[in-house]
Amino acid sequence: MSSLNRGVAKIGVTLKWDPSPLGEPAHDLDLVAATYTSAAPTGDPDYLVYFGSRSPDGTITLERESRTGQGFGSDEEMTLELDRMGTAYVRVLVGVAIQQRDGRRTFGDIASPEIQFQEGYTELAEYDFADVAGSTAATVAEFTRDASGAWQFRTSVRGFDTDPQSFGALMGRA
């Protein structure tokens, strides 16, 4: 289904950024997806997909992960197959967290961070993190299942000042 009025089905998420300047520690950004059931649509997620993992049912996968931002094209890629997700799931949040191994880093410290959401060849959204430049993590998009069972997409930018380990628990609290 390519029409946004009929819902979204299979989403590709790409994240890219420029490598650190020579001699400085590498920047490591990570895609994170949090899933929520109809019984608990906020709070703690039912499960998280991050750091090269995948969902238990295989509907959310992280295919590529970079720890430096080096290379051409996207540095991290995630696929969300919402149309295959069990009916108990009603909400999926997608965010980005910055690893803090070498001191505190914010999106403002990272050169050219950018995330893009696509369904097939249709670009749904692109975001550059400028609004959350002082944050160390951010939610960027929300997918919700409507009463007909179709998945709807909306941008949902919210910055956090937290470490990647705590970010997953904070994503759905709103």
Side-chain angles (χ1 to χ4, degrees):
M1 291 189 218
S2 60
S3 171
L4 292 179
N5 293 335
R6 295 187 326 215
V8 293
K10 185 175 180 180
I11 306 301
V13 183
T14 57
L15 175 66
K16 63 182 179 177
W17 66 95
D18 289 345
S20 306
L22 193 61
E24 290 188 23
H27 303 306
D28 184 3
L29 283 67
D30 291 304
L31 283 170
V32 181
T35 61
Y36 302 87
T37 63
S38 58
T42 60
D44 290 335
D46 190 56
Y47 63 82
L48 291 171
V49 177
Y50 60 95
F51 311 129
S53 66
R54 62 180 232 143
S55 63
D57 60 3
T59 59
I60 302 175
T61 55
L62 188 58
E63 290 95 17
R64 180 176 178 175
E65 185 195 6
S66 172
R67 296 183 191 274
T68 64
Q70 293 177 322
F72 296 104
S74 59
D75 298 308
E76 301 224 351
E77 295 177 1
M78 180 180 279
T79 301
L80 296 92
E81 295 183 73
L82 301 170
D83 57 335
R84 289 186 41 230
M85 195 170 277
T87 57
Y89 295 99
V90 297
R91 182 176 182 218
V92 177
L93 287 173
V94 176
V96 176
I98 304 169
Q99 291 293 333
Q100 303 294 318
R101 288 186 283 270
D102 299 306
R104 185 176 184 278
R105 302 230 191 265
T106 66
F107 289 108
D109 297 325
I110 311 296
S112 306
E114 181 181 284
I115 192 167
Q116 185 179 63
F117 295 85
Q118 286 189 260
E119 183 177 34
Y121 294 106
T122 303
E123 182 179 304
L124 302 176
E126 190 173 73
Y127 182 66
D128 66 3
F129 299 91
D131 296 340
V132 291
S135 300
T136 60
T139 56
V140 183
E142 179 178 33
F143 298 89
T144 54
R145 192 185 301 252
D146 65 21
S148 73
W151 285 92
Q152 304 302 316
F153 166 81
R154 76 177 180 93
T155 56
S156 178
V157 179
R158 198 166 132 219
F160 295 84
D161 189 12
T162 188
D163 60 88
Q165 292 71 28
S166 302
F167 177 54
L170 297 173
M171 290 176 74
R173 303 197 189 282

